[in-house]
Amino acid sequence: MSPIRAGLLAACLLVTVCPPAVAEPGPSADDVADARREVRSRTRDLGAVNARLAAARARLDALATTAGRLVEAYNGEKVRLARAEQAHRDALTRLSAAETAMEAARVEAARLAGELYGGADVNRPFVGMINTDGYLHRVSVLQQIGGERGMVLVRMRDSRLVAQVLREEAERARREQQAAAERAAAAQQAAERAVAEQQKETAALKEEREELESELDAARSEAERLERRRAETLERSSFGYVSLASGSARGDLAANWALSQLGKPYVWAADGPSSYDCSGLTMRAWERVGVRLDHWTGTQWTSGPHVPLNQLRRGDLLFFGYVSRDPGTIHHVGMYIGKGLMVHAPQTGDVVRVASMWRRDLVGATRPAG
């Protein structure tokens, strides 16, 4: 390198402004306008989907109510089924006891027949009639027998009547158990269908919304990139190279570097270069401009002065917590890039991307110093 050329280069490094030999080409105003139109178009598409999603949520609320009612109906049928099963078991127990008593009465009646007719020949008319309800209802016969012997036949008649009643009761309990089981099965199927419908009702819309959100974020990132390149080109063309030693310029550099990581996957506890978590991305971005941060939102929150949200500059860190305005609940950090947007590594299954900073869990902002 010639002494003259070396001297010019040294002068460039020592002064704040040094004009370039040739300005690098950058995106045109039309390119930026086209990118912004694409953002607006994607925003409109997303708005339409969100409107349909809101209507779907209303339907989902109705489905949730229906599903809840049907689930509780099924729970009720299960209770009724359990009661019906218990009633059937109780009826069978009573029937068994009645049949035992009836058999004892029959044996006693057979013994009586043996006493009356000597040997209880089953072919004798009396013995055969003992086993028929018709005979037991003939008062004249009972009157002929009389006394204790008549009471034996009365007990047999009564035990047969009780057994018949309990047999019918057991049959009714069995039918009720079967009906309850069928109602419970039908209620279960209805509940399952309602829950399944509830779960799938907005699945397609949610998928469409997520796709459009991704496209919108990509469009915003592209528009931001084009605007940034154009601004840098115009700045170099009009004013020359500006020293980047100031605090705001360091924030610009940190933000620009973070934007260069778009699309890289979120991985828990990762800090680059191929993947990041939220505080890993912001740590590496500020590391590029000589500011050391811990890989933890807790100390990143205290890494510099807190900045009012109406005074944000590019590169400032935005913090999000479970309880708004409570730093003790901070669980996420992103980096402000301008126009209400931030670049961040959101969560497992997502990638580094641009998103709105305006979330309900926004706690505050910090401008790292070091």
Side-chain angles (χ1 to χ4, degrees):
M1 180 182 296
S2 69
I4 295 176
R5 188 173 181 82
L8 288 174
L9 179 58
C12 262
L13 293 174
L14 290 172
V15 299
T16 302
V17 178
C18 180
V22 180
E24 295 182 3
S28 67
D30 288 342
D31 292 335
V32 174
D34 288 343
R36 279 298 165 195
R37 277 194 293 273
E38 180 68 11
V39 171
R40 289 193 293 272
S41 174
R42 296 298 182 189
T43 302
R44 285 193 298 271
D45 291 344
L46 183 60
V49 172
N50 282 335
R52 296 205 307 275
L53 189 63
R57 285 198 185 98
R59 293 195 303 274
L60 192 63
D61 289 341
L63 286 173
T65 300
T66 300
R69 178 177 56 80
L70 291 174
V71 167
E72 287 309 305
Y74 169 60
N75 291 338
E77 292 299 344
K78 286 199 301 181
V79 171
R80 284 187 281 273
L81 173 58
R83 291 175 179 172
E85 290 173 341
Q86 185 61 49
H88 185 222
R89 287 192 295 269
D90 293 344
L92 290 178
T93 299
R94 290 193 296 271
L95 176 59
S96 177
E99 288 177 338
T100 299
M102 184 182 70
E103 177 62 18
R106 189 193 66 79
V107 170
E108 189 176 5
R111 180 187 59 75
L112 174 62
E115 292 177 356
L116 291 175
Y117 291 93
D121 184 354
V122 293
N123 293 319
R124 303 287 300 255
F126 178 80
V127 177
M129 292 172 65
I130 286 176
N131 291 317
T132 65
D133 289 332
Y135 171 76
L136 294 176
H137 285 284
R138 294 178 185 176
V139 178
S140 60
V141 174
L142 297 178
Q143 290 173 343
Q144 290 175 10
I145 297 174
E148 289 293 329
R149 294 173 177 174
M151 292 302 297
V152 169
L153 297 182
V154 170
R155 283 196 296 273
M156 181 174 179
R157 179 197 63 184
D158 291 347
S159 66
R160 288 173 66 88
L161 289 173
V162 170
Q164 181 60 31
V165 170
L166 292 178
R167 192 173 292 111
E168 292 172 358
E169 179 185 344
E171 177 59 22
R172 282 195 302 273
R174 185 196 65 79
R175 289 195 299 269
E176 174 56 26
Q177 176 185 347
Q178 182 177 358
E182 291 172 355
R183 290 195 305 270
Q188 180 179 11
Q189 292 174 0
E192 287 173 348
R193 286 194 300 270
V195 171
E197 185 178 3
Q198 175 189 1
Q199 290 174 340
K200 74 178 182 180
E201 173 70 18
T202 58
L205 279 176
K206 286 181 178 179
E207 182 178 353
E208 184 179 359
R209 183 190 66 181
E210 289 171 358
E211 181 178 349
L212 285 174
E213 283 179 341
S214 177
E215 292 176 359
L216 176 59
D217 286 345
R220 284 172 173 166
S221 298
E222 177 64 10
E224 179 76 19
R225 185 184 67 81
L226 291 177
E227 286 183 341
R228 186 173 66 254
R229 283 183 54 196
R230 178 169 173 76
E232 289 171 353
T233 300
L234 291 174
E235 184 178 13
R236 287 195 297 268
S237 299
S238 302
F239 304 106
Y241 291 110
V242 178
S243 169
L244 298 179
S246 66
S248 60
R250 286 196 303 178
D252 280 333
L253 273 182
N256 292 346
W257 183 87
L259 286 168
S260 73
Q261 306 302 297
L262 291 176
K264 293 186 177 181
Y266 175 99
V267 174
W268 181 81
D271 58 4
S274 59
S275 58
Y276 299 91
D277 68 3
C278 64
S279 56
L281 176 67
T282 53
M283 178 186 73
R284 292 304 182 201
W286 275 96
E287 183 181 71
R288 302 287 293 189
V289 294
V291 177
R292 183 187 178 282
L293 301 178
D294 292 329
H295 189 175
W296 181 37
T297 55
T299 52
Q300 288 188 10
W301 167 253
T302 59
S303 63
H306 298 311
V307 182
L309 296 182
N310 62 357
Q311 297 178 23
L312 288 174
R313 295 198 307 223
R314 297 182 80 244
D316 289 348
L317 301 184
L318 299 165
F319 294 88
F320 304 87
Y322 293 111
V323 178
S324 179
R325 301 186 181 279
D326 182 358
T329 67
I330 288 174
H331 62 88
H332 187 61
V333 61
M335 178 174 287
Y336 182 67
I337 60 172
K339 298 185 178 180
L341 300 176
M342 66 176 175
V343 58
H344 70 149
Q347 59 191 358
T348 300
D350 211 331
V351 297
V352 175
R353 60 186 178 91
V354 172
S356 171
M357 61 173 275
W358 299 113
R359 295 177 13 176
R360 286 181 295 179
D361 56 349
L362 178 60
V363 171
T366 296
R367 183 167 298 147

